[in-house]
Amino acid sequence: MRKRVLIVEDDPHVRKNLCGILELRDFEVTGIATAEKAIDLVHRVTFHVVSIDIGLDDNDVTNTDGQKVLAEVVRLAEGTRALIVSGNRDQHLTIDAYERYGIARFLLKGQYTLTDFAAAVAKEASVAALGVFGHFTSASRTTSASTFCPSVFV
């Protein structure tokens, strides 16, 4: 079974690159730009890993909409592993995400390679597959998503 990954990233270039490297490694990847669309999708599809940008509006440095997605993933308690990939250097935000939501990993934009990102996702997807992943509470949920990321080479 291919592991499902949701990329929540407002920057289309970053989203395309993150999706692309994972598609090359045979993940089933869905890319979303907004918190609202991501929350809607996690209610319909269970993912092994969710990669979330905390600030989903580059024009608003105070934006932390990604935390809404993170909170919802944790609330659903389906064994999904969450990574934060963000340019926000606020240490309090990072500590809060670890303590409150138990994120698996924080990657600071500009401080990791696509290979590092893919390795982190692969590790967390394996952890998710060992856990309670795949146990659903609603018959209306699905285990597959249509992929919104085009196949690209990075």
Side-chain angles (χ1 to χ4, degrees):
M1 172 175 77
R2 291 175 64 200
K3 305 229 176 22
R4 288 179 300 282
V5 180
L6 175 62
I7 306 291
V8 185
E9 170 60 60
D10 62 313
D11 183 317
H13 300 292
V14 173
R15 188 172 60 247
K16 180 179 175 181
N17 286 335
L18 296 178
C19 289
I21 191 69
L22 296 180
E23 287 174 343
L24 288 172
R25 297 189 181 192
D26 204 34
F27 286 94
E28 182 181 325
V29 187
T30 303
I32 297 288
T34 68
E36 294 76 21
K37 289 180 181 177
I39 290 170
D40 178 61
L41 191 57
V42 298
H43 281 265
R44 294 183 286 116
V45 179
T46 300
F47 293 90
H48 290 87
V49 178
V50 177
S51 170
I52 305 167
D53 178 10
I54 292 297
L56 292 173
D57 182 352
D58 287 341
N59 297 319
D60 178 3
V61 295
T62 64
N63 181 289
T64 57
D65 282 353
Q67 283 187 316
K68 295 175 188 174
V69 179
L70 184 57
E72 193 60 18
V73 167
V74 170
R75 190 190 72 73
L76 290 171
E78 295 175 322
T80 301
R81 304 289 290 175
L83 284 82
I84 293 179
V85 178
S86 183
N88 190 323
R89 294 178 181 268
D90 183 345
Q91 291 179 339
H92 298 292
L93 184 67
T94 306
I95 292 168
D96 183 55
Y98 275 109
E99 291 177 350
R100 239 169 135 188
Y101 305 112
I103 64 167
R105 192 169 305 210
F106 180 94
L107 297 173
L108 186 61
K109 285 183 181 174
Q111 302 297 311
Y112 67 91
T113 66
L114 289 175
T115 301
D116 295 336
F117 174 75
V121 169
K123 178 182 177 190
E124 298 309 327
S126 294
V127 171
L130 292 173
V132 297
F133 183 81
H135 298 279
F136 304 102
T137 57
S138 169
S140 65
R141 290 181 51 89
T142 180
T143 59
S144 174
S146 55
T147 303
F148 297 111
C149 292
S151 293
V152 294
F153 296 96
V154 249

